[in-house]
Amino acid sequence: DVKVTQSSRYLVKRTGEKVFLECVQDMDHENMFWYRQDPGLGLRLIYFSYDVKMKEKGDIPEGYSVSREKKERFSLILESASTNQTSMYLCASSLVGGPFYEQYFGPGTRLTVT
Amino acid sequence: GNSVTQMEGPVTLSEEAFLTINCTYTATGYPSLFWYVQYPGEGLQLLLKATKADDKGSNKGFEATYRKETTSFHLEKGSVQVSDSAVYFCALILTGGGNKLTFGTGTQLKVEL
């Protein structure tokens, strides 16, 4: 079974702090994704990566950056956390190619910025 | 651009009732369609999928048919259980679209005894 793990289930940080969210997948997937989930807005793509050291902006990249130094690990970085970044963050991974692209999700990190 | 519209929730049903959650889409190309489910406290899991018109995806008693003429992918189940209580997300991806999923806003389902 594909497993996607995230470093924390719950995180509380103060405004202005630098925050790292880590995601690891164990199925050698090329693609990895970071989403945020907010009530009434569904899931919105922040960044994705299709290879080591490669990244592309999603729909809402402002205030975030990412790092992918190894194939299995994809980090989301909040350079200076703000209260409007309080949200649920979900990581996902998938293979490249095929008629469809099933994404496998981690359990999520609920981040609160105070 | 691409978008997915789902019926607003929460949807509250009694156990063994029939379930329909509506989903319609707008896409510039020819998408594959998905339903994901999120149980309380967990991440999303793929429930079912369909990759071309008239395909029917099915899993765990849930079904959805890809209707190109009405741009819809409604989720149905004949008899819901309390354990089906979750949030359901409809999503699409365009073939060759860079692996980017477009999600609907989600529909919460509550099933009561």
Side-chain angles (χ1 to χ4, degrees):
Chain A
D1 278 354
V2 175
K3 195 164 186 184
V4 179
T5 57
Q6 296 183 229
S7 51
S8 305
R9 294 299 300 270
Y10 300 94
L11 209 52
V12 179
K13 295 292 182 181
R14 294 195 180 277
T15 302
E17 279 193 82
K18 190 168 186 176
V19 181
F20 292 86
L21 302 182
E22 304 286 337
C23 175
V24 177
Q25 51 93 4
D26 66 357
M27 282 302 291
D28 204 35
H29 284 172
E30 292 88 357
N31 296 326
M32 296 188 75
F33 308 83
W34 275 107
Y35 296 90
R36 64 176 283 175
Q37 180 181 6
D38 299 289
L41 297 176
L43 276 76
R44 294 177 292 167
L45 182 64
I46 304 171
Y47 268 98
F48 71 101
S49 169
Y50 49 89
D51 202 351
V52 175
K53 296 191 186 296
M54 305 302 286
K55 62 185 179 185
E56 282 199 26
K57 293 180 180 179
D59 300 318
I60 52 164
E62 297 79 17
Y64 303 94
S65 62
V66 291
S67 172
R68 193 165 180 201
E69 296 297 320
K70 294 185 177 181
K71 190 176 185 179
E72 68 271 19
R73 188 179 298 268
F74 192 35
S75 302
L76 180 69
I77 303 156
L78 287 67
E79 296 289 343
S80 177
S82 63
T83 55
N84 62 13
Q85 293 178 310
T86 291
S87 186
M88 171 72 90
Y89 290 89
L90 292 167
C91 175
S93 71
S94 75
L95 289 168
V96 171
F100 66 91
Y101 309 84
E102 179 176 349
Q103 293 187 15
Y104 295 85
F105 284 81
T109 296
R110 186 166 294 281
L111 172 67
T112 302
V113 182
T114 61
Chain B
N2 305 319
S3 66
V4 176
T5 302
Q6 288 180 238
M7 59 189 290
E8 295 222 4
V11 173
T12 303
L13 296 173
S14 299
E15 203 170 41
E16 299 184 359
F18 184 86
L19 168 71
T20 301
I21 300 178
N22 291 336
C23 171
T24 57
Y25 68 88
T26 302
T28 53
Y30 194 27
S32 295
L33 301 173
F34 305 83
W35 277 101
Y36 278 83
V37 59
Q38 185 179 33
Y39 297 104
E42 298 184 13
L44 276 70
Q45 304 173 24
L46 180 65
L47 181 60
L48 53 83
K49 61 186 182 290
T51 59
K52 61 183 186 295
D54 300 324
D55 265 3
K56 178 185 280 189
S58 62
N59 186 25
K60 299 182 181 180
F62 291 89
E63 294 183 339
T65 301
Y66 189 147
R67 301 287 187 200
K68 188 179 178 186
E69 63 277 11
T70 55
T71 62
S72 64
F73 193 53
H74 304 321
L75 182 68
E76 296 181 336
K77 187 175 185 183
S79 177
V80 294
Q81 306 299 311
V82 171
S83 57
D84 294 326
S85 297
V87 181
Y88 293 81
F89 292 91
C90 186
L92 68 82
I93 197 164
L94 289 177
T95 304
N99 301 311
K100 290 192 281 187
L101 276 167
T102 299
F103 284 91
T105 54
T107 302
Q108 185 175 11
L109 171 65
K110 298 179 181 177
V111 181
E112 301 172 335
L113 290 171

